[in-house]
Amino acid sequence: RRKEGPMTEETEHMIEKNGAKETETVVSAGDAKEMRAVILSGFGGLNKLRVTKKAMPEPQEGEVKIRVKACGLNFLDLMVRQGNIDSPPKTPLVPGFECSGIVEAMGENTKGFEIGDRVMAFVNYNAWAEVVCTPLDYVYNMPDDMTFPEAAAFSMNFVAAYMMLFEVANLREGMSVLVHSAGGGVGQAVAQLCSTIPSVTVFGTASSFKHEAIKDSVTHLFDRNIDYVQEVKKISPEGVDIVLDCLSGENTGKGLGLLRPLGTYILYGSSNMVTGETKSFFSLAKSWWQVEKVNPIKLYEENKVIAGFSLLNLLFKQGRCGKVKTVVEKLFSLYNQKKIKPVVDSLWALEEVKEAMQRIHDRGNIGKLILDVEKSPTPLHHDSPVSNLSLENSWPNQHRLRFLDSTKSDNNEYIFQWHWFLW
Amino acid sequence: RRKEGPMTEETEHMIEKNGAKETETVVSAGDAKEMRAVILSGFGGLNKLRVTKKAMPEPQEGEVKIRVKACGLNFLDLMVRQGNIDSPPKTPLVPGFECSGIVEAMGENTKGFEIGDRVMAFVNYNAWAEVVCTPLDYVYNMPDDMTFPEAAAFSMNFVAAYMMLFEVANLREGMSVLVHSAGGGVGQAVAQLCSTIPSVTVFGTASSFKHEAIKDSVTHLFDRNIDYVQEVKKISPEGVDIVLDCLSGENTGKGLGLLRPLGTYILYGSSNMVTGETKSFFSLAKSWWQVEKVNPIKLYEENKVIAGFSLLNLLFKQGRCGKVKTVVEKLFSLYNQKKIKPVVDSLWALEEVKEAMQRIHDRGNIGKLILDVEKSPTPLHHDSPVSNLSLENSWPNQHRLRFLDSTKSDNNEYIFQWHWFLW
């Protein structure tokens, strides 16, 4: 129905549906020659990231041009920043693999969306910008009730969680699942999807300070620094049916060891490779070395399954968009039935990307970090420090005072920097 | 309904249902002190097998005593004979892991079956005998229309095929499956189960002489000596969704290479380890060495799944009978809907076990080899050789004359031996 209306009605309809946040956002295509984007100038630390102007992209045949409202920030983006990924692309680049926004234009001979459509999209880099172009196959009309930050929090995490639980593994009534980083974006998606199946036991690891916030979503929560193998075995001596591992390293052997017969271990990330702010070849080598190679004959004797899952490779290297499309449809149906709902940790301006990344590096988030393209960081003056202070008690046994400092660079860009006081 | 009737009605009912083959078979328990059984006197060649009398087993608490009608012979039994398995038991032993027959007695305080019930059972060795006792959990009432040879052909092959396709992998509409030994018991079960799902493509390898017989059950058939990787890729360049491998060795690497993203490779046997009549440490070592160890990080990059499946370990070491029970129920329902039907290759007397084993070693069978406990081999005289001849043209480009010779041993047992003339 929405698609039939003219442009103005469209905009009104959205305002009505989604409130003030999404007003005045449909800009007619072609007006601006430039857009703001986050640039990664080279692989390395946080200082490689900045916001700058870039030429406005225009959609090629088969592509959709999207005015971006919100982008997802994943642990993977941090690994990209460090150059800590397989066959990294060339820099400078615009990071980001997912966004939500409004269709602004379509490439020639391209059908399937109308200008003004509210969409969620996967992008092979370039998401962290005011405008992106991406092929049709990666774009989905959002459910009417879904907000833009929710959509940006939804795509990668819920699709990955769903495919691991229901396509790679075979989650059924009465099974048990172990998930690391239960407080993160994928962790919370896994917990919610498990709750759609009767009698599923979820074991989760997370930093202790998150336990209060996420305890209802997980059956048994353990501190991330504890020996989870022992803890799981105390509760379930026969092990678990599904292990979802985003850590890698020695956790692969531990996860395989915890599997019940017919159980499935899935490696879907290797966050253990990240230690400091920049890529550490030592951590990388250690993590790689610790990943035990698996003898298929041992799997035969033990009736076990081991799998790897990379949504990005699936989408952008292996051409399985068709499969992902059917999964997104199932997920939207679950969302519309109010069985799942993305957990958004916090919204950040593009200019705050470094602080957001630091937060995910520190495992400070509960749910998803979102870059809100329309949010502008309030530049703070040095003579009014009080307004820049925020008291955080999220660290266990520790309080932090966060202080946002800003200066102007020669290029007339604001440079923001957080300072921390710990006690 | 059947269970309510008295014994005689029961027997009549069965005769009515299953015809002459199953008449006069309910022997009252406790009459005989001995029974016939196949004995494996030590690990090695065919000469380690013989039929002898053994003490009649009696059911312990929780066990069912079954008057055996038919037993399944699997490639695995051949590997057991050679001692070519992980942690082999002590000899002498009675081989055999599955049978069908009639409940003759129950252990103390044991409920769930009635005397006279027609059942299919898993046994942890000891199946190749006139009578076996096995725990309740391994016994299933057979569908009324199923014959005893069908039931003995059904249990291991269909349960393994079903669990691999639907529990370990996730067979769905439009997928593709590669199965080795497509003419064998599991191969035929896989083909039939694939046909219950719309638009499934089955790639199979089998000896060329079987192709005519099984061509309707498989979409694309290749000779077992051909480079199947090339052949599959010609037809399906993107690979296949599921690879079922009972060969092991170099086929593991080949199978993994053939997988599409999200595809599953399942190792469920290692028949490549068998070369000659006795265990070959060279073949064993070669086969083991050829099985590539798998790096989970590679699975992550390629979105692949690798699994092992051993039904015997699942049942007898890992206590997953409950899971198997639900699978058997689903399979019986498919059988009753006439969607699947075990393929029986041939029936053999217990005394013919060596010839039956030679046939499976030579990959001569199409479907399942069954030991028919009530069949007696006709002792053949040396002066009437013509009746012992059977012309086989099953070998490609080769004809064979099979000649059954029999002599009596000192123990008054018949010793049968096949002789082959090839031209």
Side-chain angles (χ1 to χ4, degrees), chain B residues 41-55:
Chain B
S41 57
F43 298 117
L46 292 167
N47 63 340
K48 302 289 185 184
L49 290 165
R50 61 195 170 86
V51 174
T52 189
K53 296 270 185 194
K54 280 203 65 166

Side-chain angles (χ1 to χ4, degrees), chain B residues 25 67 121 175 179 185 281 303 305 325 382 402:
Chain B
T25 50
R67 174 66 51 175
M175 284 190 174
V179 61
F281 284 96
N303 277 303
V305 184
K325 197 167 206 86
H382 286 263
R402 195 161 68 152

Side-chain angles (χ1 to χ4, degrees), chain B residues 34-41 46-54 350-354 377 379 405-417:
Chain B
E34 286 190 322
M35 62 158 190
R36 278 157 67 240
V38 174
I39 291 280
L40 180 70
S41 57
L46 292 167
N47 63 340
K48 302 289 185 184
L49 290 165
R50 61 195 170 86
V51 174
T52 189
K53 296 270 185 194
K54 280 203 65 166
L350 289 183
E351 288 76 8
E352 293 168 331
V353 65
K354 293 178 200 182
D405 192 17
S406 62
T407 49
K408 255 191 176 174
S409 77
D410 301 340
N411 304 333
N412 233 10
E413 288 169 4
Y414 281 107
I415 295 172
F416 293 90
Q417 206 169 359

Side-chain angles (χ1 to χ4, degrees), chain B residues 212-265:
Chain B
E212 186 57 30
I214 65 171
K215 67 179 194 311
D216 292 340
S217 63
V218 177
T219 326
H220 303 285
L221 254 182
F222 311 121
D223 184 80
R224 66 185 285 261
N225 298 311
I226 222 170
D227 178 1
Y228 61 86
V229 173
Q230 286 310 103
E231 296 302 312
V232 171
K233 282 199 170 159
K234 267 185 222 163
I235 297 164
S236 176
E238 76 276 17
V240 297
D241 293 298
I242 300 173
V243 173
L244 303 177
D245 179 14
C246 59
L247 306 173
S248 186
E250 59 174 1
N251 296 285
T252 301
K254 286 184 182 177
L256 273 171
L258 266 181
L259 287 184
R260 294 180 73 185
L262 295 179
T264 304
Y265 164 90

Side-chain angles (χ1 to χ4, degrees), chain A residues 100-215:
Chain A
S100 57
I102 290 173
V103 173
E104 196 165 279
M106 307 278 287
E108 260 185 87
N109 306 315
T110 306
K111 290 203 172 72
F113 292 93
E114 302 291 325
I115 292 170
D117 275 1
R118 301 169 71 245
V119 293
M120 173 183 103
F122 294 108
V123 201
N124 195 9
Y125 295 98
N126 294 313
W128 296 353
E130 286 181 317
V131 176
V132 300
C133 295
T134 194
L136 271 178
D137 283 347
Y138 299 131
V139 185
Y140 306 90
N141 277 309
M142 287 162 52
D144 288 347
D145 290 338
M146 193 179 265
T147 65
F148 289 117
E150 275 183 341
F154 193 83
S155 34
M156 285 192 60
N157 292 359
F158 273 87
V159 170
Y162 187 95
M163 293 190 85
M164 289 194 286
L165 291 173
F166 299 106
E167 302 281 335
V168 180
N170 229 327
L171 182 64
R172 309 266 182 85
E173 186 167 347
M175 284 189 173
S176 54
V177 178
L178 168 66
V179 62
H180 296 295
S181 305
V186 176
Q188 284 295 292
V190 165
Q192 290 187 17
L193 287 169
C194 285
S195 76
T196 65
I197 305 292
S199 314
V200 171
T201 303
V202 181
F203 297 92
T205 69
S207 306
S208 287
F209 77 88
K210 299 186 188 177
H211 287 201
E212 186 58 29
I214 65 171
K215 68 179 191 313

Side-chain angles (χ1 to χ4, degrees), chain A residues 166-167 169-170 172 261 288 292-294 296-297 300-301 303-310 313-314 318 320, chain B residues 166-167 169-170 172 261 288 292-294 296-297 300-301 303-310 313-314 318 320:
Chain A
F166 299 106
E167 302 281 335
N170 229 327
R172 309 266 182 85
W288 186 272
E292 230 173 296
K293 284 196 188 171
V294 180
I297 294 173
Y300 165 77
E301 283 161 5
N303 277 303
K304 289 183 177 178
V305 184
I306 174 166
F309 183 78
S310 160
N313 285 357
L314 203 65
Q318 296 160 356
R320 298 299 303 261
Chain B
F166 299 106
E167 303 281 335
N170 229 327
R172 308 265 182 86
W288 186 274
E292 229 173 295
K293 284 197 189 169
V294 179
I297 294 173
Y300 165 77
E301 283 161 5
N303 277 303
K304 289 183 177 177
V305 184
I306 175 166
F309 184 77
S310 160
N313 285 357
L314 203 65
Q318 296 160 356
R320 297 299 304 262

Side-chain angles (χ1 to χ4, degrees), chain B residues 21 36-39 49 51 68-74 77 94-101 126-130 148-150 152-153 344-357 368-376:
Chain B
K21 259 198 158 168
R36 278 157 67 240
V38 174
I39 291 280
L49 290 165
V51 174
V68 179
K69 296 292 180 178
C71 318
L73 195 157
N74 296 292
D77 296 308
V94 175
F97 298 110
E98 59 184 341
C99 65
S100 58
N126 294 313
W128 295 353
E130 286 180 317
F148 289 116
E150 275 183 341
V344 174
D345 173 74
S346 46
L347 302 180
W348 305 76
L350 289 183
E351 288 76 8
E352 293 168 331
V353 65
K354 293 178 200 182
E355 292 74 40
M357 257 199 192
K368 186 87 170 196
L369 290 159
I370 296 294
L371 298 179
D372 179 346
V373 177
E374 288 167 2
K375 187 182 174 214
S376 29

Side-chain angles (χ1 to χ4, degrees), chain B residues 12-66:
Chain B
E12 275 167 29
H13 175 82
M14 285 185 297
I15 294 166
E16 204 180 342
K17 271 273 175 200
N18 296 287
K21 259 198 158 168
E22 296 167 15
T23 56
E24 312 162 307
T25 50
V26 180
V27 175
S28 45
D31 280 12
K33 296 253 161 60
E34 286 190 322
M35 62 158 190
R36 278 157 67 240
V38 174
I39 291 280
L40 180 70
S41 57
F43 298 117
L46 292 167
N47 63 340
K48 302 289 185 184
L49 290 165
R50 61 195 170 86
V51 174
T52 189
K53 296 270 185 194
K54 280 203 65 166
M56 176 65 68
E58 291 306 329
Q60 305 298 303
E61 185 163 341
E63 286 189 344
V64 182
K65 181 181 177 183
I66 301 165

